[in-house]
Each structure stands twice: as C-alpha cells, then as structure tokens.
Amino acid sequence: MKGRILGIAGPTVSVDIPGLKLYDMVQVGKAGLTGEVVRLESGHAVVQVYEDTRGLAANEPALGMQLPLTVELGPGLLCGMFDGLQRPLERLRDRSGPLLTPGEPILPLDRARVWRFAPARRAGDQVRAGDFLGEVHEGAFRHPICAPCAGRIARLSTGDFCLGEGVGEMAGGREIPVIVRWPVRKARPYREKFSPTRPLVTGQRCIDFLFPLVLGGTAIFPGGFGTGKTILEQAIAKFAAVDIVVYVGCGERGNEMAELLEEFVTLSDPGSGRPLMQRTVVVVNTSNMPVAAREASIYTAVTMAEYYRDLGYHVLLLADSISRWAEALREISASLEEMPGEEGYPTYLTSRLAAFFERAGVVETLGGKTGSLSMILSVSPPGGDFTEPVTQACLRTAGAFFMLDTSLAHRRHFPAINWFQSYSLYRGDLVAHFEGEVSPRWGELQRRCQKLLQREETLREVAEIVGVEGLQDADRLVMTVSERIRERFLCQNAFSDDAFCAPQRTLALIAELVDFYDLAEGKLKQGALLEELLKP
Ligand SMILES: Nc1ncnc2c1ncn2[C@@H]1O[C@H](COP(=O)(O)OP(=O)(O)O)[C@@H](O)[C@H]1O
Ligand SMILES: [Mg+2]
C-alpha cells in the first residue's frame, strides 16, 4: 500500500495511503522513518512518527506496512538494550556509529547468533499443542520452547543452532517457532488473574518494612527533582527478588543510563549470584532521543515483560519516569489538535494509564504456569506538586505510593520516602507472610516503629516552643530513639554495602532499636538518668 506525504506537523505526518487501519505501522519519506497511524479521516491518515521528522518534505513517498507496532520475543532479549521501538542499540551502533541513522531497518533479535538447544523430545514424537519440546540455554536462563500445534515432530535440532534457522519443524512443514511476534498495544492473554499475595522483596528497608510490595502489584513514587527517583529505581532493579527485570529509561538523562549500564555489567544478582545483566532487559528512550518513540517505549517494555511472565517467571517492570511518557502523549495529542484536558494533557490520560497498570498482576498462563508482572514507576511532577494530573492519575490505580520528600532529600535522608504520607494497600495482607517467614514480631514492630515516629513528630512541635531541654526524660527518650530509627534504619545509602538489606536483617535492626527503647523506658521509670542510658 503506497501513498504520499500530504503534510507535516511536528512529530505527526498526514499521508494518503488507502486502506490503512488505526495503529498500522507506516514508513514515511525517503529516509523510511517509522510511525503509527493515530487518526483516520476521509482521504487521509495521520501518522505519529517515532523519529525526528526534520528533513521530511511533502510529496515524499509513504508505505503502509499492514501490521501494528510489533515486538519480537525470544532468546536474546536478556542482557539486551533496545530503544522504544525495540531496535537493538548495540548492534545499531556497531553498524552506524554512535549517532543513529533514522529509518534503518534492523531486526531486534540477531538471526546470526548461535544458541544451544537441549531437546526434551525427539523427531517422530507425537505431541499436543503447547507441549514442552526443550529449552534454549540463554546464559543461566532456560528458555522453554513449546509445540506450535498438535502433530508429529519432523525435525528437532540438538546442540547449537542459529536463530535464523530455528530449532525444527512439525510434520506438514510448520516451523517450531523460537521467535514470537506480538503487537505492543495489546495485552498478552492468560487464563486467569489472581489477587497477589506474595511479597516482592526490594531490599529497601523502608519499603519492605513499612510499605511492602507484592509480586504482581503496582507502585509509584513521585518526587521533585533530586529526590532520588533514579537512584531508587536503579537500586530496586539491582536487588529486587524477582527472576527478570525490564528497566525503561523513559525521557530521563542519557548519561545516567550509560552509567547504569556500565555498573550493571559488573554486578551480580544477590539472589542467584549470576551476572545481573543476565536477568535484565533495558529499554532506553532518553531525553536526547525522539519524543514520539517514548510514548511507545513503555508498551514495548511491558510486552517483553509479559512474555517472561507467560514463561512462568516473576517479572518486574521499572520505568523512570512515567511523567516523561505522559509529556510525549501530550505533545502528540497537541499536534493532533485534540481537545486538551487538565494542564494540556489529553482527556484520555487517566484511562491510558489505568489500562497500562492493568497489565500488571499474577496470572495463570495459557500453559498452566504461574507468572507475575509487577510495576514500579517513578513520577516527576513539575515543581514537586503532587496535585498535577499525572500523579493524580497514577494514584487512582497504583497499589502503593511512596512520596519522595524534597525536605528529606535536602537533609540527605535517602531514600527520601515520607513515612507519614506514603502507603501500601498490600501491607495488611503481607504481615502474616512476613510473620511466618521472618519473625512473629514483624507486625508488632511495624506498629511500634510508626507510633514512635508519630510521637516524635508531636514532640518536635512542643520542643520548638519549650526547647528540647524543656521536655521530660521519657519524651526525650522517644526523640532519641526515633532519630535512631530515621538515621540508622530508614536511611539506606545506595552507594554502600547497606544498599541491599534482607528482611531478616531489616527485622533484626528495628528489633534492636525498639527493644532498646523498652529497656530504657523501664529503667527511667525506676529512676535512672537518661544521660546514663544513652551513653554508648
Ligand atoms: N539512596 C541514596 N543513597 C545515597 N544518595 C542518594 C540516594 N538517593 C539519592 N541520592 C543522592 O541524590 C542525588 C539525586 O538523586 P537522583 O536519583 O538523581 O534524583 P532524581 O532522579 O529524583 O532527580 C544523587 O546523585 C545522590 O547523590
Ligand atoms: Mg532522575
């Protein structure tokens, strides 16, 4: 299906290709830039182009590709770094240098790459659709390959094979697929969704202890500039107890992504001890890359995440930051001259976000396994104002909310999670789990910890009037212990050995502080002096 460019407005281009469908991919211009149909009108269609449209001219050719934006799923995603359209950045760079040439076609998964396949069945075997045929060794990761249909296996390789040739064939000539294609805007199917029950241990004390997350849950942390969003996302990417991490750098600084990747290569997964990159897929659409592909990048990422969920793994999707995605959406909406909603964002911002969050969860896969997809997204509200539309839209759907507090960040209290404003809807359900797995004191200590912090807040107001000296010893004890809770327990330096803390150690630390409080309080009642008790 061929046509021409009729007009260009920022990232959108109108074309006269006949027979287009909504969300079809289109290549525009001599450079062959890719885009997606976002509006159909009589006689022309509007295409949102994923690359810089400078240099395009009217009357240049346009080509309908007759399929929506689709990703490739299969061996070779792990350790990989892709852009928002799933183009492999390293292979692109090897070919065209550090400055990407727009429009160059390149397949996401390298067909020339050789993998090892360990078959579980043989040629001649009769199998049902979905039966397990063997696995591809992808580092330590085992990538299952299943039968595409019922029938007899005609050919099944063993040992090394190259991705281009596949692992075998069914009788009748149907290929046994190693690569699956999926349109990114369509959630992948599953049999059933369950309510999440198992914790997602992040290794961050403040989160795991006060505002715990579940496998299959969703969380957001909004925070102004410099409140530690990127550092927190990255710390969770390194240490979270999940099988697979998909990290999306969405519209943030490019050098931060470069540093992250350099660091990841040297680290190992605390759970398995294997190189961290072997469980990680990175999608990058930094602020210096075209804005429209950013809108697509979170869908590309979530589709890859769903793919691993469907293989029966626990997957975590991290995005930094979803606000940049929303800004891309706004920019595209504006160039379509749609009626703007609050602060210029399109009126469908909330429903789009809700539909995105909806892709998280614990599921029974079509193959009968259990897999989960969790999401932790950072939000960067302009000026740190949490009443703005993106934060509000996220708040409506996310299960946990960590408010990153500018004043805590100024005092170098990191992670700057405000312990009064944040919440997790999963907390009640998880207490029983932690009490069974870690310690029966988990719930009790959680309540005591929060109570001490609350009393400190009240006393601080009093102390501002009468001075700390004016407080009674019992109250000064509360102030001292709370300060220790904040500094020794809630603070966690991401650049030290303390960057990760297992739940057992989290509990031991808080137990020590609360037990000290109880002991000291008892002694004060018996007439001891506070100064004596606080001596190290
Ligand atoms: N957990 C942490 N431990 C130590 N320092 C931190 C931590 N979190 C943030 N910081 C400090 O705050 C700075 C800004 O953090 P960053 O994540 O880049 O903020 P944001 O992404 O919100 O703009 C970092 O460069 C670092 O010095
Ligand atoms: Mg940042």
Side-chain angles (χ1 to χ4, degrees):
M1 289 193 299
K2 287 185 181 157
R4 315 222 129 254
I5 296 180
L6 300 174
I8 302 156
T12 58
V13 170
S14 60
V15 295
D16 65 356
I17 306 171
L20 284 178
K21 292 200 285 290
L22 203 60
Y23 291 122
D24 267 2
M25 295 281 280
V26 174
Q27 279 187 339
V28 294
K30 290 190 188 123
L33 310 183
T34 28
E36 207 177 16
V37 177
V38 288
R39 181 188 288 172
L40 286 169
E41 279 172 30
S42 66
H44 76 278
V46 182
V47 176
Q48 155 193 344
V49 180
Y50 293 127
E51 286 154 292
D52 197 342
T53 48
R54 264 176 296 180
L56 279 186
N59 270 326
E60 282 190 33
L63 179 70
M65 295 162 76
Q66 290 177 299
L67 87 179
L69 178 61
T70 302
V71 285
E72 287 190 345
L73 306 165
L77 292 179
L78 297 178
C79 293
M81 184 167 69
F82 302 92
D83 76 353
L85 307 178
Q86 212 202 17
R87 284 177 302 195
L89 291 173
E90 272 164 83
R91 273 190 295 134
L92 266 183
R93 188 195 52 202
D94 291 346
R95 203 169 70 180
S96 55
L99 291 176
L100 302 184
T101 334
E104 265 191 85
I106 188 165
L107 292 170
L109 298 177
D110 188 354
R111 298 300 191 273
R113 187 151 171 193
V114 175
W115 296 100
R116 167 145 304 184
F117 179 64
R121 308 296 291 259
R122 267 192 244 135
D125 282 2
Q126 202 68 32
V127 292
R128 289 167 306 176
D131 273 1
F132 176 70
L133 301 185
E135 49 193 20
V136 177
H137 291 200
E138 194 178 353
F141 184 77
R142 295 288 174 263
H143 200 118
I145 302 293
C146 298
C149 57
R152 196 171 53 79
I153 304 174
R155 181 177 66 80
L156 196 61
S157 44
T158 171
D160 293 349
F161 75 102
C162 108
L163 208 51
E165 69 197 19
V167 291
E169 221 173 57
M170 301 294 288
R174 184 155 173 190
E175 194 200 349
I176 296 171
V178 186
I179 300 173
V180 180
R181 286 183 192 76
W182 195 264
V184 298
R185 296 192 190 274
K186 191 171 161 199
R188 282 173 59 85
Y190 49 82
R191 263 193 213 158
E192 204 183 330
K193 206 170 223 180
F194 306 116
S195 38
T197 49
R198 288 179 50 196
L200 191 172
V201 174
T202 62
Q204 302 295 309
R205 285 188 290 271
C206 183
I207 297 179
D208 293 343
F209 187 68
L210 290 181
F211 311 108
L213 297 179
V214 276
L215 291 170
T218 52
I220 57 159
F221 48 88
F225 177 75
T227 50
K229 297 182 292 296
T230 303
I231 303 277
L232 187 57
E233 285 270 330
Q234 297 186 352
I236 296 175
K238 289 177 206 161
F239 302 121
V242 291
D243 301 313
I244 303 286
V245 172
V246 181
Y247 188 100
V248 199
C250 187
E252 294 288 313
R253 288 185 288 272
N255 57 345
E256 283 180 349
M257 275 319 281
E259 280 165 24
L260 169 83
L261 289 164
E262 268 169 35
E263 196 190 353
F264 264 42
V265 174
T266 62
L267 292 172
S268 52
D269 172 359
S272 66
R274 297 188 201 120
L276 195 62
M277 275 313 275
Q278 286 192 8
R279 69 163 207 188
T280 313
V281 185
V282 178
V283 176
V284 217
N285 226 271
T286 47
S287 50
N288 52 349
M289 292 164 96
V291 61
R294 204 190 285 167
E295 195 276 324
S297 66
I298 65 163
Y299 294 103
T300 298
V302 76
T303 309
M304 292 195 270
E306 281 177 341
Y307 173 67
Y308 288 104
R309 173 202 72 184
D310 293 344
L311 296 177
Y313 291 101
H314 296 296
V315 190
L316 172 61
L317 177 84
L318 293 159
D320 183 28
S321 92
I322 202 74
S323 299
R324 305 283 169 253
W325 166 83
E327 283 163 15
L329 191 71
R330 174 166 69 183
E331 202 165 308
I332 295 156
S333 164
S335 68
L336 292 173
E337 294 177 2
E338 290 172 341
M339 172 89 83
E342 237 181 303
E343 292 191 20
Y345 289 104
T347 46
Y348 47 80
L349 171 73
T350 310
S351 59
R352 284 274 168 98
L353 268 173
F356 180 72
F357 277 117
E358 192 52 41
R359 291 174 78 164
V362 188
V363 302
E364 184 187 340
T365 68
L366 293 183
K369 293 179 181 157
T370 305
S372 73
L373 169 51
S374 320
M375 293 184 186
I376 305 180
L377 315 175
S378 75
V379 184
S380 19
D385 168 17
F386 296 138
T387 60
E388 60 91 38
V390 183
T391 313
Q392 288 301 317
C394 288
L395 267 177
R396 262 175 245 171
T397 9
F401 163 69
F402 314 135
M403 182 193 136
L404 298 189
D405 191 328
T406 312
S407 68
L408 286 177
H410 281 165
R411 301 208 303 261
R412 309 280 316 153
H413 175 113
F414 288 116
I417 299 174
N418 181 306
W419 49 89
F420 293 125
Q421 309 280 343
S422 304
Y423 64 77
S424 162
L425 300 179
Y426 311 116
R427 181 157 92 179
D429 296 339
L430 288 177
V431 168
H433 180 96
F434 283 114
E435 289 187 342
E437 297 282 312
V438 183
S439 157
R441 295 189 65 193
W442 190 276
E444 169 233 336
L445 287 170
Q446 210 178 47
R447 286 188 295 277
R448 296 286 310 277
C449 171
Q450 273 194 315
K451 200 158 170 213
L452 280 166
L453 292 167
Q454 255 151 17
R455 284 182 62 194
E456 181 197 30
E457 192 64 13
T458 323
L459 288 171
R460 200 202 303 268
E461 284 163 23
V462 180
E464 266 166 27
I465 303 163
V466 299
V468 181
E469 306 73 36
L471 293 178
Q472 291 180 344
D473 274 2
D475 291 340
R476 282 171 59 202
L477 177 66
V478 171
M479 300 278 285
T480 310
V481 174
S482 300
E483 185 183 310
R484 289 183 184 174
I485 290 179
R486 284 187 284 110
E487 288 176 2
R488 297 185 196 172
F489 182 73
L490 295 178
C491 279
Q492 207 171 333
N493 188 336
F495 306 105
S496 70
D497 290 343
D498 192 31
F500 167 79
C501 189
Q504 285 75 9
R505 206 171 97 77
T506 294
L507 189 103
L509 280 171
I510 191 69
E512 190 189 320
L513 292 166
V514 173
D515 290 347
F516 169 79
Y517 173 79
D518 288 343
L519 191 78
E521 195 198 24
K523 287 195 181 153
L524 277 184
K525 281 195 184 131
Q526 288 161 13
L529 288 174
L530 185 66
E531 277 65 31
E532 291 294 318
L533 296 172
L534 293 183
K535 266 190 193 148

